[in-house]
Amino acid sequence: MEPDLLGPPYERHTIDLGSDDEGPVVATLVRRRAERPSRRAVLYVHGFVDYFFQTHVADFFAARGWDFYALDLRKYGRSLLPHQTPNFCCDLGDYFPELDAAAEIIRTEDGHDTVLAMGHSTGGLIISLWAHDRRDAGLVDGIVLNSPFFDLNAPWLVRRPLAAAVARLGRRAPQRILPFSLGTVYGESLHADHRGEWTYDLAWKPLAGFPVRAGWVDAIRTGQRRLRAGLDIQVPVLLACSTRSFRSTKWHDSATLADAVLDVEHMVRWAPRLGPHITLARFDGGLHDLTLSGPAVREKVFAEVGRWADAFLGAGPTPTDPPVPDPRPAPSGNREAGDPEQADATA
């Protein structure tokens, strides 16, 4: 581990992933230890046009006695290299190697017995697919999904026939830029320079996002179809989302009280396809990233996550636990098959 850009107590480890058609590839694992040695850990995975900067999330878990790890996936945030297309992939399975490596570091090298995976938006879809594919490996003990990207936020004609056509284009011309963008409403609701309260790197998380490419849409659609066909995640899952979505491309103050990126009813609809142990929690006034909602809402989010973890992982705060020997070295100086919907037969 080496010092992270967030400063103490954050450290980071660069995971070498070899090369792809654009050249060398890396991922970055950020670590924030709890004050006392712990056998419990969180592995956090960000969404599209995102990276880890939510230190208050790490603080929440650390205060409960969890070591916190966040993974900046390949071509995102700390892992984005100059020769790479930002946030681009052609297969969500491309992210599994860094997730495997992170789990190996957390469990084997750092000695954790309980691992909670937490995924936001596209990260929630990726974590779900990875947990299904690795369900016999015992890599995670529970999953928290923060507004997961389970379907395209568009009318049926766009979500199904048009998306199928774009996916076919993506297999032939994956880098083709599509003639639409994510808009700026959500970004404006977050960043302190606009209408929000958060400060983060706009080069890594620009207000209007990065260009959307056909190959990425193919990867997302393929992953979403797998999810909607049904996964078999055997560990307990908490799916959390807002109570409503904001649909306009123009600013309105109600964007600060709703999910301005995805359709929350899609998340609710497809939640049962994850596996047999699903808890659904909805938060009035929640933003797309629930942890970036207003103070009162995010307090409720953290309280629900804490209660759920207590119930399903037996993992509440343990202030009276006897000390656990710390096997780790001291820190260095400075510290996202077929769709059950008939319409998908158009694919």
Side-chain angles (χ1 to χ4, degrees), residues 11 31 33-40 67 69 106 108-112 322-331:
E11 308 163 285
R31 180 175 70 186
R33 290 175 170 170
E35 289 189 8
R36 298 173 58 196
S38 175
R39 297 284 187 180
R40 303 189 299 239
D67 288 340
Y69 297 76
I106 294 168
T108 303
E109 295 186 18
D110 286 0
H112 294 93
V324 178
D326 189 355
R328 303 164 300 188

Side-chain angles (χ1 to χ4, degrees), residues 157-172:
L157 284 174
V158 176
R159 286 188 287 124
R160 299 298 182 258
L162 181 57
V166 172
R168 289 193 291 270
L169 171 64
R171 294 165 208 149
R172 300 193 307 271

Side-chain angles (χ1 to χ4, degrees), residues 209-228:
F210 294 108
V212 177
R213 299 173 187 268
W216 180 84
V217 173
D218 181 36
I220 294 296
R221 182 175 178 275
T222 299
Q224 291 176 340
R225 293 182 72 206
R226 285 191 62 202
L227 176 282
R228 297 195 302 266

Side-chain angles (χ1 to χ4, degrees), residues 32 34-35 57-66 317-318:
R32 186 225 195 278
E35 289 189 8
V57 179
D59 291 342
F60 165 76
F61 283 105
R64 294 177 62 84
W66 294 69
T318 55

Side-chain angles (χ1 to χ4, degrees), residues 147-163:
S147 306
F149 189 13
F150 285 173
D151 212 339
L152 300 174
N153 185 13
W156 177 84
L157 284 174
V158 176
R159 286 188 287 124
R160 299 298 182 258
L162 181 57

Side-chain angles (χ1 to χ4, degrees), residues 334-347:
N334 297 319
R335 320 208 270 251
E336 223 173 320
D339 190 320
E341 292 193 24
Q342 187 68 28
D344 260 8
T346 59

Side-chain angles (χ1 to χ4, degrees), residues 12-224:
R12 70 181 179 200
H13 172 72
T14 300
I15 301 171
D16 186 348
L17 297 167
S19 297
D20 65 6
D21 58 353
E22 292 187 322
V25 180
V26 300
T28 310
L29 187 65
V30 179
R31 180 175 70 186
R32 186 225 195 278
R33 290 175 170 170
E35 289 189 8
R36 298 173 58 196
S38 175
R39 297 284 187 180
R40 303 189 299 239
V42 176
L43 173 58
Y44 174 89
V45 180
H46 56 77
F48 184 57
V49 190
D50 206 358
Y51 71 101
F52 173 66
F53 64 91
Q54 300 88 339
T55 56
H56 63 295
V57 179
D59 291 342
F60 165 76
F61 283 105
R64 294 177 62 84
W66 294 69
D67 288 340
F68 183 89
Y69 297 76
L71 185 64
D72 276 14
L73 299 168
R74 64 184 69 196
K75 306 184 183 183
Y76 283 85
R78 299 163 178 81
S79 308
L80 179 61
L81 302 179
H83 60 273
Q84 294 177 327
T85 303
N87 301 188
F88 181 72
C89 76
C90 290
D91 185 337
L92 296 184
D94 289 349
Y95 300 118
F96 292 2
E98 51 254 60
L99 287 165
D100 292 341
E104 174 73 11
I105 291 169
I106 294 168
R107 284 197 176 272
T108 303
E109 295 186 18
D110 286 0
H112 294 93
D113 301 323
T114 301
V115 177
L116 171 64
M118 184 174 186
H120 168 56
S121 196
T122 304
L125 177 60
I126 295 167
I127 284 284
S128 299
L129 298 171
W130 175 69
H132 167 81
D133 283 2
R134 303 291 191 265
R135 61 191 179 278
D136 296 327
L139 299 182
V140 299
D141 301 284
I143 297 172
V144 173
L145 301 177
N146 171 6
S147 306
F149 189 13
F150 285 173
D151 212 339
L152 300 174
N153 185 13
W156 177 84
L157 284 174
V158 176
R159 286 188 287 124
R160 299 298 182 258
L162 181 57
V166 172
R168 289 193 291 270
L169 171 64
R171 294 165 208 149
R172 300 193 307 271
Q175 291 278 3
R176 180 75 62 85
I177 295 176
L178 302 178
F180 60 84
S181 70
L182 301 178
T184 64
V185 169
Y186 180 56
E188 289 181 41
S189 75
L190 297 182
H191 202 277
D193 289 349
H194 298 271
R195 306 169 193 268
E197 63 173 295
W198 306 100
T199 301
Y200 51 81
D201 192 332
L202 290 172
W204 288 347
K205 187 176 174 64
L207 291 185
F210 294 108
V212 177
R213 299 173 187 268
W216 180 84
V217 173
D218 181 36
I220 294 296
R221 182 175 178 275
T222 299
Q224 291 176 340

